[in-house]
Amino acid sequence: MRSFSYQRASDPQAALQALAVTAAATTPLTEASSQPLAGGTTLIDLMKLDVMRPERLVDINPLAGNWAQVDLDGGNLKLGALAHMSQVAGHAEVRQNYPVIADSLKLAASPQLRNMATLGGNVLQRTRCSYFRDVSYAECNKRNPGSGCAAMDGFNRMHAVLGTSHQCIATYPGDFAQALIALDAAIEITSKSGPRSMSFAEFHRAPGDTPAIETVLAPGELISGFAIDGRWPRSVYLKVRDRQSYEFALASAAVALDLQNGVINDARLALGGVATVPWRAREAEAVLKGQKLDDALAERAADAAFADARGRQHNAFKIALGKRVVAHALKKAIAMEI
Amino acid sequence: MSDKINSPRSGFDRRAFLTGAAGTAVAIPLTARAGNETAQAPEAQDPAAPVQVTLRINGDSRTLALDARTTVLDALREHAGLTGSKKGCDHGQCGACTVLLDGQRVVSCLTLASAAEGREITTIEGLAEGGKLHPMQQAFIDQDAFQCGYCTPGQIMSAIACVREGHADSDDNIREYMSGNICRCAAYPNIVAAVKQAAPEILKG
């Protein structure tokens, strides 16, 4: 690991100041020389791999006093960015009112990592693309812009089939973000000019021509929390992977439904393990609304969700698998007893 | 001519040697840095200079001179002479380095020592009391829950947390909540049995 200096931030202003010191506005966040340290489960790992090379770490854990709340307030949910995954996954009221959130967190990583990793860091976790993580591959447009992509013609079984570009097919690896995007969450970002709120759906950026830029978060800004309006007791997170536990998704689905007399009044669907960014499947939602779910409708919704999917040599199976995951998740949500 | 072969205990002891060697190694930087202690401003450090980090390990306070890059795992093994916590993957994937931080299990290989300052670290060495093994240690022996033993300290620390979290109530839950600890000898069925054996005693105590 390259050397760096470590400092602890006592309050948000000190943290923002320390992070902004060396940050040029044009630097992608992931390349900024000052990086915030929360759980460290992605950052320290990638620093050991020499993929990330910050010169300064700003430990923001002392801010947890203000930014770690789990607050169900009048039918809405507020989550602090420094709340730990395990804390939210095991929260009884979150589990009851937002099972899709609790399960997306519970089914991710290991118990140890869930005790360390924070919600803010979770949505910033970086791809598990093996060509990105291994610096001995010269070609990686995300790590080294303009160098090419070793995954395109490499072993791409784990790679994305949705949201890809001619530059990058790396899968967004997280689970929690699918729950957030399905529930129309807002993300709160704090910068020197104060906090601002934006739709979580606009937070991640598809790779396009600039796969090194993964989110709209700029150097010198911090995620301070998330907010969700309304409750979604009829919601599920279904995750299919190579082993039953402690593995990234091959395909996953976050589903939330609002039923009235058996008719789908509102439907939310997001896909994980198959796309370059947290993926909202709005076309599938449109197929479901106003209908009663049966096998045929579930299949039509799944087809709509993957209509634009494009498989490559080793990952085309994810299209068929992803459709089955969507159909199964929908049936699971319908069968829930609320 | 003697046929006597020294037993590892009476002659050369690998663990004692390693522990002693680590202790000697750390004595040098500590002495060398002692005069500069006040120059270590908590903010804006020179990345090349060691930092004084005070860790609470198994109830004791240890002040160590560490490179900022040092993880809790390396601080324990290389600087504090506590080699019970094991380095497997060093990337948070295998769980061999699991310790408790303020009572919660974490992987010490991805935890910076500096970030653990002021928090209580519990390692496998801190479990036995007055020569009596912790119930989970005893259960691992009783149930033959290991073969090579390399993952065992991490398994035991994780298993204690699993019980305290309330996740040892079924075989399925034990498997799910012990999934962060890989056992390459595949002692998994016996590990489940050990967790089940120790759980009532831990929850009672």
Side-chain angles (χ1 to χ4, degrees):
Chain A
M1 196 190 292
R2 288 164 202 250
S3 68
F4 59 86
S5 67
Y6 166 91
Q7 77 183 72
R8 205 169 291 161
S10 48
D11 61 73
Q13 281 313 312
L16 294 167
Q17 210 163 6
L19 289 167
V21 163
T22 51
T26 51
T27 311
L29 175 76
T30 50
E31 299 301 319
S33 59
S34 288
Q35 292 287 336
L37 173 70
T41 55
T42 291
L43 180 60
I44 304 297
D45 180 31
L46 290 178
M47 285 168 67
K48 287 185 178 190
L49 293 171
D50 207 27
V51 171
M52 290 184 77
R53 303 167 177 181
E55 290 160 20
R56 181 209 300 251
L57 295 190
V58 180
D59 186 346
I60 58 169
N61 287 294
L63 314 185
N66 301 320
W67 288 1
Q69 82 275 23
V70 179
D71 189 7
L72 280 96
D73 170 29
N76 303 315
L77 176 64
K78 285 192 168 166
L79 299 169
L82 289 173
H84 289 116
M85 290 171 74
S86 55
Q87 175 193 348
V88 181
H91 194 284
E93 285 180 282
V94 173
R95 180 151 291 286
Q96 188 183 348
N97 295 290
Y98 307 90
V100 65
I101 289 179
D103 279 344
S104 73
L105 292 164
K106 182 195 149 184
L107 296 174
S110 70
Q112 291 95 317
L113 295 172
R114 294 196 292 270
N115 278 342
M116 300 166 71
T118 62
L119 300 186
N122 183 283
V123 302
L124 292 173
Q125 71 182 305
R126 307 196 65 193
T127 183
R128 306 298 294 190
C129 170
S130 49
Y131 303 102
F132 167 74
R133 286 172 58 81
D134 185 343
V135 294
S136 71
Y137 291 100
E139 293 177 314
C140 176
N141 287 324
K142 193 183 270 298
R143 185 160 40 73
N144 186 11
S147 62
C149 173
M152 297 271 181
D153 299 312
F155 184 55
N156 46 40
R157 177 173 179 270
M158 297 302 290
H159 288 75
V161 295
L162 287 164
T164 59
S165 75
H166 63 289
Q167 293 241 359
C168 185
I169 58 170
T171 306
Y172 173 77
D175 297 294
F176 173 56
Q178 272 69 257
L180 288 177
I181 202 168
L183 302 187
D184 268 338
I187 183 169
E188 188 187 81
I189 294 169
T190 297
S191 65
K192 273 194 284 190
S193 49
R196 71 176 194 277
S197 186
M198 63 180 290
S199 166
F200 184 72
E202 289 160 22
F203 183 70
H204 285 88
R205 285 181 41 165
D209 290 329
T210 53
I213 301 172
E214 297 175 350
T215 67
V216 299
L217 198 67
E221 295 183 323
L222 287 169
I223 301 171
S224 38
F226 306 91
I228 290 156
D229 288 341
R231 297 180 186 228
W232 291 89
R234 187 179 295 282
S235 63
V236 300
Y237 189 73
L238 181 66
K239 182 176 180 182
V240 171
R241 38 195 165 164
D242 278 330
R243 54 185 180 196
Q244 198 176 347
S245 182
Y246 193 15
E247 184 55 280
F248 293 92
L250 290 171
S252 70
V255 167
L257 298 177
D258 175 35
L259 290 188
Q260 278 182 1
N261 303 320
V263 175
I264 298 170
N265 186 45
D266 197 357
R268 305 293 181 82
L269 174 62
L271 310 176
V274 293
T276 53
V277 286
W279 194 263
R280 179 90 177 257
R282 290 186 187 275
E283 299 79 4
E285 293 174 4
V287 169
L288 293 164
K289 280 179 196 168
Q291 307 291 319
K292 282 191 172 184
L293 191 81
D294 56 21
D295 286 352
L297 185 71
E299 209 170 299
R300 274 208 291 138
D303 285 343
F306 282 88
D308 296 331
R310 180 166 170 252
R312 305 189 77 88
Q313 191 179 357
H314 308 107
N315 67 356
F317 78 100
K318 282 191 174 186
I319 298 171
L321 179 66
K323 287 180 184 178
R324 287 176 197 161
V325 168
V326 166
H328 191 66
L330 287 169
K331 288 176 203 169
K332 249 183 111 172
I334 290 282
M336 284 177 84
E337 289 185 21
I338 308 298
Chain B
M1 184 180 128
S2 168
D3 291 325
K4 182 174 174 287
I5 297 168
N6 283 338
S7 76
R9 291 274 168 235
S10 62
F12 177 79
D13 183 319
R14 179 179 157 273
R15 179 166 298 168
F17 171 76
L18 288 172
T19 311
T24 316
V26 77
I28 298 159
L30 267 178
T31 319
R33 300 298 310 171
N36 290 345
E37 212 167 315
T38 49
Q40 297 291 326
E43 312 253 316
Q45 308 140 358
D46 168 6
V51 284
Q52 299 285 334
V53 179
T54 302
L55 295 177
R56 293 275 305 163
I57 307 169
N58 300 327
D60 292 332
S61 253
R62 296 286 297 269
T63 299
L64 307 168
L66 303 174
D67 187 304
R69 290 167 282 190
T70 311
T71 60
V72 168
L73 177 62
D74 286 338
L76 290 170
R77 290 183 57 84
E78 310 294 335
H79 298 269
L82 295 170
T83 54
S85 306
K86 294 294 185 274
K87 183 179 282 193
C89 66
D90 208 25
H91 285 276
Q93 298 178 1
C94 76
C97 67
T98 302
V99 300
L100 305 184
L101 199 57
D102 289 339
Q104 292 214 307
R105 50 177 158 165
V106 300
V107 284
S108 61
C109 72
L110 293 184
T111 307
L112 289 180
S114 296
E117 210 166 25
R119 306 182 68 186
E120 186 62 50
I121 299 164
T122 310
T123 72
I124 190 78
E125 290 93 342
L127 294 182
E129 283 182 35
K132 188 175 184 294
L133 292 180
H134 185 281
M136 192 62 80
Q137 291 175 302
Q138 189 59 53
F140 267 66
I141 294 171
D142 293 347
Q143 299 294 336
D144 197 16
F146 51 86
Q147 202 176 123
C148 81
Y150 194 79
C151 73
T152 310
Q155 296 279 2
I156 289 176
M157 300 314 294
S158 204
I160 291 168
C162 173
V163 171
R164 287 190 189 150
E165 291 160 8
H167 292 137
D169 52 350
S170 70
D171 286 15
D172 279 353
N173 260 347
I174 292 170
R175 287 193 194 96
E176 170 64 33
Y177 283 91
M178 288 297 290
S179 70
N181 292 81
I182 310 296
C183 172
R184 213 56 297 170
C185 307
Y188 297 113
N190 301 27
I191 292 170
V192 173
V195 176
K196 276 161 74 177
Q197 176 186 318
E201 205 174 331
I202 291 170
L203 292 173
K204 196 175 60 193

